[in-house]
PDB file of all heavy atoms in Angstrom:
ATOM      1  N   ASP A 186    -167.460-266.466  78.546  1.00 89.00           N
ATOM      2  CA  ASP A 186    -168.804-265.888  78.454  1.00 89.00           C
ATOM      3  C   ASP A 186    -169.080-264.985  77.278  1.00 89.00           C
ATOM      4  O   ASP A 186    -170.035-264.231  77.170  1.00 89.00           O
ATOM      5  CB  ASP A 186    -169.145-265.159  79.694  1.00 89.00           C
ATOM      6  CG  ASP A 186    -168.273-264.054  80.090  1.00 89.00           C
ATOM      7  OD1 ASP A 186    -167.247-263.864  79.345  1.00 89.00           O
ATOM      8  OD2 ASP A 186    -168.559-263.264  80.992  1.00 89.00           O
ATOM      9  N   ARG A 187    -168.093-264.886  76.285  1.00 91.00           N
ATOM     10  CA  ARG A 187    -168.262-263.998  75.148  1.00 91.00           C
ATOM     11  C   ARG A 187    -169.385-264.604  74.228  1.00 91.00           C
ATOM     12  O   ARG A 187    -169.621-265.855  74.260  1.00 91.00           O
ATOM     13  CB  ARG A 187    -166.972-263.884  74.381  1.00 91.00           C
ATOM     14  CG  ARG A 187    -166.615-265.100  73.621  1.00 91.00           C
ATOM     15  CD  ARG A 187    -165.207-264.989  73.043  1.00 91.00           C
ATOM     16  NE  ARG A 187    -164.873-266.064  72.090  1.00 91.00           N
ATOM     17  CZ  ARG A 187    -164.486-267.291  72.496  1.00 91.00           C
ATOM     18  NH1 ARG A 187    -164.535-267.614  73.808  1.00 91.00           N
ATOM     19  NH2 ARG A 187    -164.209-268.260  71.639  1.00 91.00           N
ATOM     20  N   PRO A 188    -170.032-263.719  73.447  1.00 94.00           N
ATOM     21  CA  PRO A 188    -170.995-264.235  72.527  1.00 94.00           C
ATOM     22  C   PRO A 188    -170.367-265.191  71.552  1.00 94.00           C
ATOM     23  O   PRO A 188    -169.260-265.056  71.128  1.00 94.00           O
ATOM     24  CB  PRO A 188    -171.514-262.928  71.760  1.00 94.00           C
ATOM     25  CG  PRO A 188    -171.258-261.852  72.732  1.00 94.00           C
ATOM     26  CD  PRO A 188    -169.990-262.266  73.485  1.00 94.00           C
ATOM     27  N   GLU A 189    -171.150-266.230  71.142  1.00 94.00           N
ATOM     28  CA  GLU A 189    -170.655-267.191  70.212  1.00 94.00           C
ATOM     29  C   GLU A 189    -170.251-266.572  68.918  1.00 94.00           C
ATOM     30  O   GLU A 189    -170.901-265.640  68.425  1.00 94.00           O
ATOM     31  CB  GLU A 189    -171.715-268.350  69.972  1.00 94.00           C
ATOM     32  CG  GLU A 189    -171.258-269.457  69.169  1.00 94.00           C
ATOM     33  CD  GLU A 189    -172.241-270.510  68.980  1.00 94.00           C
ATOM     34  OE1 GLU A 189    -173.247-270.471  69.544  1.00 94.00           O
ATOM     35  OE2 GLU A 189    -171.999-271.502  68.183  1.00 94.00           O
ATOM     36  N   GLY A 190    -169.129-267.027  68.308  1.00 95.00           N
ATOM     37  CA  GLY A 190    -168.706-266.501  67.083  1.00 95.00           C
ATOM     38  C   GLY A 190    -167.987-265.134  67.146  1.00 95.00           C
ATOM     39  O   GLY A 190    -167.992-264.426  66.167  1.00 95.00           O
ATOM     40  N   THR A 191    -167.433-264.775  68.318  1.00 97.00           N
ATOM     41  CA  THR A 191    -166.685-263.558  68.440  1.00 97.00           C
ATOM     42  C   THR A 191    -165.295-263.804  69.000  1.00 97.00           C
ATOM     43  O   THR A 191    -165.037-264.902  69.572  1.00 97.00           O
ATOM     44  CB  THR A 191    -167.487-262.574  69.367  1.00 97.00           C
ATOM     45  OG1 THR A 191    -167.556-263.154  70.708  1.00 97.00           O
ATOM     46  CG2 THR A 191    -168.803-262.322  68.918  1.00 97.00           C
ATOM     47  N   ILE A 192    -164.479-262.851  68.890  1.00 96.00           N
ATOM     48  CA  ILE A 192    -163.143-262.890  69.471  1.00 96.00           C
ATOM     49  C   ILE A 192    -162.771-261.420  69.907  1.00 96.00           C
ATOM     50  O   ILE A 192    -163.367-260.491  69.374  1.00 96.00           O
ATOM     51  CB  ILE A 192    -162.100-263.377  68.430  1.00 96.00           C
ATOM     52  CG1 ILE A 192    -160.825-263.824  69.128  1.00 96.00           C
ATOM     53  CG2 ILE A 192    -161.956-262.406  67.288  1.00 96.00           C
ATOM     54  CD1 ILE A 192    -160.889-265.054  69.883  1.00 96.00           C
ATOM     55  N   GLU A 193    -161.820-261.290  70.784  1.00 97.00           N
ATOM     56  CA  GLU A 193    -161.472-259.926  71.310  1.00 97.00           C
ATOM     57  C   GLU A 193    -160.028-259.668  71.229  1.00 97.00           C
ATOM     58  O   GLU A 193    -159.242-260.606  71.212  1.00 97.00           O
ATOM     59  CB  GLU A 193    -162.046-259.744  72.678  1.00 97.00           C
ATOM     60  CG  GLU A 193    -163.506-259.781  72.839  1.00 97.00           C
ATOM     61  CD  GLU A 193    -164.059-260.000  74.227  1.00 97.00           C
ATOM     62  OE1 GLU A 193    -163.547-260.902  74.919  1.00 97.00           O
ATOM     63  OE2 GLU A 193    -164.956-259.185  74.650  1.00 97.00           O
ATOM     64  N   MET A 194    -159.630-258.408  71.341  1.00 97.00           N
ATOM     65  CA  MET A 194    -158.237-257.996  71.488  1.00 97.00           C
ATOM     66  C   MET A 194    -158.204-256.915  72.648  1.00 97.00           C
ATOM     67  O   MET A 194    -159.181-256.160  72.788  1.00 97.00           O
ATOM     68  CB  MET A 194    -157.706-257.328  70.181  1.00 97.00           C
ATOM     69  CG  MET A 194    -157.188-258.400  69.210  1.00 97.00           C
ATOM     70  SD  MET A 194    -155.871-257.695  68.129  1.00 97.00           S
ATOM     71  CE  MET A 194    -156.823-256.623  67.126  1.00 97.00           C
ATOM     72  N   LEU A 195    -157.213-257.050  73.374  1.00 98.00           N
ATOM     73  CA  LEU A 195    -157.033-256.139  74.540  1.00 98.00           C
ATOM     74  C   LEU A 195    -155.758-255.414  74.519  1.00 98.00           C
ATOM     75  O   LEU A 195    -154.692-256.036  74.245  1.00 98.00           O
ATOM     76  CB  LEU A 195    -157.056-257.073  75.843  1.00 98.00           C
ATOM     77  CG  LEU A 195    -156.768-256.457  77.198  1.00 98.00           C
ATOM     78  CD1 LEU A 195    -157.992-255.542  77.566  1.00 98.00           C
ATOM     79  CD2 LEU A 195    -156.464-257.547  78.244  1.00 98.00           C
ATOM     80  N   ALA A 196    -155.804-254.157  74.676  1.00 98.00           N
ATOM     81  CA  ALA A 196    -154.576-253.283  74.794  1.00 98.00           C
ATOM     82  C   ALA A 196    -154.469-252.706  76.164  1.00 98.00           C
ATOM     83  O   ALA A 196    -155.343-252.101  76.690  1.00 98.00           O
ATOM     84  CB  ALA A 196    -154.626-252.196  73.720  1.00 98.00           C
ATOM     85  N   VAL A 197    -153.224-252.823  76.751  1.00 98.00           N
ATOM     86  CA  VAL A 197    -152.960-252.337  78.098  1.00 98.00           C
ATOM     87  C   VAL A 197    -151.680-251.449  78.032  1.00 98.00           C
ATOM     88  O   VAL A 197    -150.608-251.863  77.543  1.00 98.00           O
ATOM     89  CB  VAL A 197    -152.800-253.400  79.141  1.00 98.00           C
ATOM     90  CG1 VAL A 197    -152.586-252.866  80.528  1.00 98.00           C
ATOM     91  CG2 VAL A 197    -153.968-254.387  79.099  1.00 98.00           C
ATOM     92  N   THR A 198    -151.799-250.239  78.554  1.00 98.00           N
ATOM     93  CA  THR A 198    -150.649-249.373  78.669  1.00 98.00           C
ATOM     94  C   THR A 198    -150.674-248.733  80.091  1.00 98.00           C
ATOM     95  O   THR A 198    -151.493-249.028  80.870  1.00 98.00           O
ATOM     96  CB  THR A 198    -150.819-248.168  77.626  1.00 98.00           C
ATOM     97  OG1 THR A 198    -151.826-247.217  78.157  1.00 98.00           O
ATOM     98  CG2 THR A 198    -151.286-248.627  76.224  1.00 98.00           C
ATOM     99  N   PRO A 199    -149.643-247.931  80.385  1.00 97.00           N
ATOM    100  CA  PRO A 199    -149.681-247.292  81.696  1.00 97.00           C
ATOM    101  C   PRO A 199    -150.863-246.418  81.923  1.00 97.00           C
ATOM    102  O   PRO A 199    -151.252-246.153  83.023  1.00 97.00           O
ATOM    103  CB  PRO A 199    -148.389-246.447  81.681  1.00 97.00           C
ATOM    104  CG  PRO A 199    -147.432-247.156  80.742  1.00 97.00           C
ATOM    105  CD  PRO A 199    -148.396-247.712  79.674  1.00 97.00           C
ATOM    106  N   GLU A 200    -151.483-245.918  80.902  1.00 97.00           N
ATOM    107  CA  GLU A 200    -152.662-245.067  80.997  1.00 97.00           C
ATOM    108  C   GLU A 200    -154.038-245.853  81.180  1.00 97.00           C
ATOM    109  O   GLU A 200    -155.092-245.239  81.510  1.00 97.00           O
ATOM    110  CB  GLU A 200    -152.803-244.191  79.796  1.00 97.00           C
ATOM    111  CG  GLU A 200    -151.696-243.084  79.639  1.00 97.00           C
ATOM    112  CD  GLU A 200    -150.336-243.688  79.314  1.00 97.00           C
ATOM    113  OE1 GLU A 200    -150.271-244.544  78.402  1.00 97.00           O
ATOM    114  OE2 GLU A 200    -149.351-243.210  79.954  1.00 97.00           O
ATOM    115  N   GLY A 201    -154.071-247.084  80.936  1.00 98.00           N
ATOM    116  CA  GLY A 201    -155.345-247.806  81.009  1.00 98.00           C
ATOM    117  C   GLY A 201    -155.380-249.073  80.151  1.00 98.00           C
ATOM    118  O   GLY A 201    -154.337-249.554  79.657  1.00 98.00           O
TER     119      GLY A 201
END
Side-chain angles (χ1 to χ4, degrees):
D186 58 349
R187 72 189 188 282
E189 185 176 355
T191 64
I192 197 74
E193 293 165 312
M194 278 204 290
L195 173 72
V197 182
T198 76
E200 287 72 42

